Amino acid sequence: MHLDKLPDVSFAQKSIEEILADTISGYEKAYYEQTGEVKKLFPGDPIRIWLYSQALREFQLRQLIDYSAKQNLLKYAKGPFLDHKGADHDVPRADAKKATVTMKYILSTPLPTIQYIPAGTRVRSKKDVYFQTLETIEVPAGATEVIAVNECTVAGEIGNGFTPGQINILVDPLPWIASVVNTDTSQGGADEEDDESYREKINLAPEGYSTAGSELGYVFFAKKYSQLIEDVAVSSPGPGTVDIRVLLKNGEIPGQAFLDGLKEYLSAKDKRPLTDHVLVGAPDIVSYNINLTYYIRTQDETAETSIRQRVDNAISQFQIWQRSKIGRDINPSELIARIIQAGAKRIEIVEPVFAKLEKNQVAVAENVSVTYGGLEDD
């Protein structure tokens, strides 16, 4: 069951007004029972002021009671409390991971004998993010270049996103290496898993108990592999074949090294049914364009600059939303709604048009043309 479909619950009534009213009513009733006299506590009465201070204490106590009780429920648990919920299912929170990248070491001249690049040899980008070799790399005699996988020296997303050519400084020089350069985009680095991602993984944990290769079982194991995975689509194009497509956070397309690691993980004997042939890949990209003109009300002229900024941000957020879920239809209505909410009066939209996507596809914006048409009267 999706947690967002569960009703909200409360373990303690938390309205300060009701608590104060009950406290005053209780005092007046007890006073009458003890003395036989009717006593009303009006605003400004010292006793009423004192009761108000006690009602505030009770209000704070009820807040703590409600919060503490909710930490026993997966929908509300946070931080260490959520870690304990994960322990019930043997699902630990994922630690921060280091990004990896493929590096090419180019020799100044072919060497007559075998040489070695020591483990821990560092390279870096101009942003001073360092990567290093994980093991000693053998350079055969006569070779002019050698390829090696390097790992970021710091865990987290800081090592992600360096495109080919951006990591090109050899920190620990070797006399026979002329230059270094990364040949793919660094990927795989992740911060410690956040509560929402971890909560979803715990909720999926029972699916992992099955040995029948259920759809949600594969989703669970894929998300257990890396907290970078935002969406998973599982299908079976033929008997015994399981096709798994994954997207990373913010709709990032996973690289081949990441996909290879995921396939190896999902193919383990304790995760894959014996008869399943597992395929792992990125979703097929369906390109679309954004071409529109928007207008702002004349009465909003004083906020024109801020509205234009909000519209630009809304269009950027739409692109992230559109590419963050596999199989999500290309939906211009969502784009229009976001721009209107940002403060625009109306939109003339040429592209995109609605398009139905398959379960293994994801929509990615290619050309974006946004024109501000100016101010208009209502």
Side-chain angles (χ1 to χ4, degrees):
M1 174 181 287
H2 292 291
L3 294 176
D4 57 2
K5 293 183 178 180
L6 291 173
D8 286 324
V9 296
S10 178
F11 290 90
Q13 189 278 115
K14 295 175 291 184
S15 168
I16 183 63
E17 291 80 9
E18 292 183 18
I19 295 173
L20 179 60
D22 289 344
T23 304
I24 293 174
S25 175
Y27 175 87
E28 292 174 345
K29 181 179 179 182
Y31 188 89
Y32 176 77
E33 291 174 349
Q34 293 295 319
T35 65
E37 298 179 10
V38 175
K39 183 177 179 64
K40 293 294 182 182
L41 298 178
F42 295 98
D45 189 304
I47 296 177
R48 183 183 176 117
I49 294 173
W50 182 81
L51 291 177
Y52 179 69
S53 70
Q54 298 307 300
L56 287 176
R57 290 172 62 88
E58 184 171 341
F59 171 74
Q60 293 171 345
L61 181 60
R62 293 190 185 192
Q63 292 276 7
L64 289 173
I65 291 171
D66 185 64
Y67 176 82
S68 299
K70 283 181 176 178
Q71 296 312 296
N72 293 291
L73 303 179
L74 182 59
K75 180 176 180 177
Y76 300 101
K78 299 178 180 178
F81 297 101
L82 188 59
D83 291 329
H84 281 275
K85 297 298 293 182
D88 291 341
H89 298 278
D90 193 26
V91 180
R93 187 190 297 266
D95 294 328
K97 292 182 173 63
K98 296 179 180 180
T100 59
V101 68
T102 303
M103 296 296 304
K104 179 191 292 185
Y105 294 81
I106 302 171
L107 279 62
S108 54
T109 183
L111 299 175
T113 59
I114 295 175
Q115 294 291 333
Y116 297 92
I117 300 174
T121 299
R122 295 171 299 166
V123 296
R124 69 174 177 87
S125 69
K126 291 182 179 179
K127 292 185 177 181
D128 286 337
V129 177
Y130 291 75
F131 292 77
Q132 64 183 6
T133 53
L134 299 176
E135 57 188 7
T136 299
I137 308 300
E138 180 180 299
V139 183
T144 58
E145 61 185 39
V146 65
I147 301 294
V149 174
N150 284 30
E151 183 180 74
C152 188
T153 58
V154 179
E157 296 184 16
I158 188 173
N160 292 340
F162 290 98
T163 56
Q166 290 187 330
I167 305 172
N168 53 18
I169 301 172
L170 182 62
V171 178
D172 303 311
L174 295 169
W176 37 272
I177 293 182
S179 62
V180 294
V181 64
N182 60 310
T183 60
D184 60 7
T185 300
S186 60
Q187 198 172 66
D191 298 328
E192 182 183 59
E193 189 168 22
D194 60 54
D195 280 353
E196 291 310 310
S197 173
Y198 187 33
R199 192 189 322 279
E200 182 181 2
K201 190 168 70 177
I202 296 172
N203 191 42
L204 286 169
E207 300 294 338
Y209 302 153
S210 170
T211 58
S214 67
E215 178 179 347
L216 290 179
Y218 277 115
V219 172
F220 165 70
F221 284 122
K223 292 197 171 186
K224 190 175 181 181
Y225 173 72
S226 173
Q227 60 268 43
L228 282 178
I229 294 177
E230 182 164 302
D231 193 31
V232 183
V234 181
S235 61
S236 180
T241 300
V242 179
D243 185 15
I244 300 172
R245 307 295 180 101
V246 295
L247 267 179
L248 305 185
K249 285 185 177 180
N250 295 321
E252 182 183 354
I253 303 297
Q256 193 57 50
F258 185 94
L259 295 172
D260 291 344
L262 176 59
K263 182 177 181 179
E264 181 180 358
Y265 178 79
L266 293 177
S267 297
K269 292 180 180 180
D270 60 344
K271 301 175 182 67
R272 176 185 61 85
L274 184 62
T275 56
D276 278 1
H277 174 56
V278 177
L279 305 175
V280 177
D284 298 333
I285 295 176
V286 176
S287 298
Y288 69 94
N289 299 324
I290 295 177
N291 183 1
L292 60 85
T293 301
Y294 70 93
Y295 301 84
I296 297 175
R297 293 179 180 83
T298 302
Q299 67 192 54
D300 294 330
E301 183 176 4
T302 56
E304 180 182 10
T305 300
S306 63
I307 291 175
R308 292 184 64 178
Q309 291 174 345
R310 292 201 299 270
V311 168
D312 289 342
N313 182 64
I315 294 171
S316 297
Q317 290 302 311
F318 167 80
Q319 294 175 62
I320 295 174
W321 172 85
Q322 184 68 76
R323 68 172 184 257
S324 293
K325 186 170 181 59
I326 303 171
R328 175 171 281 163
D329 298 335
I330 300 174
N331 189 353
S333 298
E334 176 72 20
L335 176 58
I336 293 171
R338 287 172 181 258
I339 296 175
I340 292 294
Q341 189 175 19
K345 174 197 171 188
R346 68 181 181 92
I347 301 100
E348 295 176 353
I349 186 166
V350 179
E351 296 179 282
V353 296
F354 177 82
K356 189 77 174 175
L357 264 61
E358 300 297 329
K359 192 175 181 180
N360 61 350
Q361 295 178 322
V362 65
V364 177
E366 185 173 14
N367 300 309
V368 178
S369 175
V370 177
T371 303
Y372 172 49
L375 299 170
E376 278 189 348
D377 294 333
D378 280 335

